[in-house]
Amino acid sequence: MRYTTSGESHGRVLTAIVTGVPAGIPVDQSAIDSDLARRQVGYGRGGRMRIETDTASILSGVRFSRTIGSPVALAISNRDWDNWTDVMSVQGEPIDSVRVTAPRPGHADLAGVLKTCSNDVRDVLERASARETAARVAAGAIAKAFLRQVDVEVGSFVFSIGGAAMDTPLDASEVDPSLVEASDVRCPDAEASVRMRAAIDAAHTDGESLGGLFYVTATGLVPGLGGYAEAASRLDARLAAAAMSIPAIKGLEFGDGFAAAKRPGSQVHDAIAHDGPRGFYRKTNHAGGLEGGMTNGEPLIMRLAMKPIPTLMRPLASVDLDSHEVIDASKERSDVCAVPAAAVVAEAEVALVLADSYLQKFGCDCVEDIVTALRAYESRIRS
Ligand code: EPS
């Protein structure tokens, strides 16, 4: 299962095409829209989120609420397009007065215009904008619908925003999703949520932006997804590539991650146990559910680091593309913090990789055959 997206931040529409989709996945429009809404919620988002109410139109690949084995195309309209029809006109001549010539440090702006021979940062920022991640979330909702058929749930929560963090240690796979969904910073700890909101308020007052750390988890995974024999089949490598493809994600760890590098092996690896009905299992999960490039049957636990958003209301210095004079970087309307949204985008990315790894192991034509093969595998490895 793969996806591609198209669309500019203030263009008419965002689209996603998901290929390699097996037949027989129940597709509920409201589940896609509910994930789109989860991505839009979050304390610290800017004015744009008051304009958009994202909803996906399913253009192909679904009939009578089930996938039929063909590519699934999804479209999300940009409501803000109505305000940008001149600046983002598909036809006509460039309008010099709307050119953006002050690239922002930390954004794709400068390397983007140099690479594409453009004299207008807007040519780059429109596509580099994280608005595109709405299309990824729609694509990921198809992967999640498949994963539900094989009893896998993907979730996320925010661990820290700026310097405001939850207490450690915590078992990320045991976090109650209802507490996460009830928090407008997607943090299950009410007291930490208050501190995170205060940090966002202070950043807003100072013309600053904030990043943070968040977890993505997946439960119900069978052991043996991914592979140890080829570099390209290693599931941790595939998950890392997917996570790092999300704008502003700068770091990633699985399980105990960087902390494990400081401890001796006996405190890092998870002793193997077995019991009749359950089969092989671990009493600890330092590895975050991955060993040797494969799932080991324990929950997948990933922690991602997001940098602060580059658009600053108190901008850093930049250089004008035309005159080469020192100027302030451009300050478009922007978010102060999008860490809660990035967590929902990361769920989508992880779901797409996990769905693909199930299809590689258990077949890719129809859900019924995949589930039959999965049950036979589960029964064999339990005995
Ligand atoms: C973004 C800038 C802001 C964000 C946008 C990402 O948009 P605008 O320039 O229209 O105010 O709100 O995110 C979204 C629109 C979204 O849906 O997440 C940027 O420069 O990356």
Side-chain angles (χ1 to χ4, degrees):
M1 193 183 286
R2 299 275 190 281
Y3 79 91
T4 191
T5 71
S6 73
E8 282 75 40
S9 180
H10 305 96
R12 187 190 294 271
V13 72
L14 301 167
T15 62
I17 297 183
V18 191
T19 56
V21 181
I25 305 174
V27 175
D28 175 3
Q29 168 86 45
S30 66
I32 306 175
D33 289 346
S34 136
D35 261 2
L36 289 171
R38 289 168 73 235
R39 194 199 69 94
Q40 288 201 271
V41 178
Y43 198 74
R45 299 305 301 275
R48 179 75 185 271
M49 287 305 99
R50 286 192 286 280
I51 298 172
E52 306 294 344
T53 315
D54 292 338
T55 168
S57 303
I58 303 170
L59 304 181
S60 72
V62 179
R63 183 164 183 247
F64 302 135
S65 307
R66 286 187 180 259
T67 57
I68 52 172
S70 36
V72 175
L74 302 146
I76 301 162
S77 292
N78 284 323
R79 288 190 168 191
D80 207 13
W81 154 254
D82 292 342
N83 306 317
W84 290 76
T85 46
D86 291 343
V87 177
M88 293 302 292
S89 176
V90 173
Q91 302 278 278
E93 292 300 315
I95 310 168
D96 202 53
S97 59
V98 300
R99 268 201 309 137
V100 179
T101 60
R104 289 159 296 174
H107 215 284
D109 299 356
L110 181 57
V113 287
L114 296 176
K115 176 185 170 71
T116 58
C117 312
S118 174
N119 67 359
D120 186 353
V121 171
R122 183 160 300 288
D123 287 340
V124 174
L125 70 85
E126 282 291 332
R127 180 64 182 158
S129 161
R131 174 73 186 145
E132 179 262 352
T133 62
R136 299 194 196 198
V137 168
I142 302 297
K144 284 183 177 179
F146 167 74
L147 289 173
R148 260 175 240 121
Q149 302 303 301
V150 292
D151 312 319
V152 173
E153 281 295 330
V154 179
S156 68
F157 66 92
V158 171
F159 175 76
S160 66
I161 289 178
M166 288 175 70
D167 293 332
T168 44
L170 86 170
D171 184 342
S173 62
E174 294 287 316
V175 161
D176 179 350
S178 66
L179 296 177
V180 179
E181 301 307 323
S183 160
D184 59 5
V185 284
R186 296 192 57 71
C187 176
D189 177 336
E191 188 267 330
S193 297
V194 171
R195 284 187 285 111
M196 288 174 189
R197 279 194 290 272
I200 292 167
D201 288 340
H204 188 238
T205 307
D206 293 346
E208 278 289 359
S209 60
L210 287 179
L213 298 172
F214 61 87
Y215 281 88
V216 182
T217 62
T219 53
L221 297 163
V222 286
L225 300 170
Y228 59 89
E230 305 279 349
S233 62
R234 289 199 163 244
L235 191 60
D236 29 18
R238 294 195 59 199
L239 288 165
M244 296 302 289
S245 77
I246 301 167
I249 300 305
K250 291 289 139 193
L252 162 69
E253 54 185 12
F254 293 103
D256 289 357
F258 283 82
K262 292 185 226 143
R263 296 202 295 263
S266 61
Q267 291 171 34
V268 168
H269 301 299
D270 303 298
I272 298 173
H274 187 276
D275 85 29
R278 191 169 167 193
F280 296 102
Y281 71 99
R282 314 301 170 94
K283 289 179 182 160
T284 57
N285 186 16
H286 299 298
L290 293 168
E291 288 171 310
M294 296 168 289
T295 51
N296 66 2
E298 301 302 321
L300 173 70
I301 298 174
M302 300 169 64
R303 189 162 74 153
L304 280 66
M306 182 184 196
K307 72 178 181 183
I309 283 168
T311 308
L312 300 175
M313 292 306 129
R314 208 186 277 168
L316 290 174
S318 182
V319 170
D320 185 83
L321 287 184
D322 297 336
S323 68
H324 297 178
E325 278 167 18
V326 175
I327 47 166
D328 282 348
S330 69
K331 49 172 187 181
E332 304 226 344
R333 170 189 68 188
S334 184
D335 308 320
V336 175
C337 172
V339 176
V344 177
V345 178
E347 286 181 17
E349 285 289 343
V350 167
L352 283 151
V353 172
L354 293 177
D356 190 56
S357 66
Y358 267 87
L359 301 183
Q360 284 187 357
K361 177 132 185 64
F362 298 107
C364 51
D365 286 334
C366 83
V367 169
E368 206 178 332
D369 289 352
I370 294 165
V371 171
T372 303
L374 169 65
R375 299 294 172 237
Y377 177 71
E378 286 172 328
S379 156
R380 176 173 72 70
I381 62 175
R382 250 197 313 272
S383 61

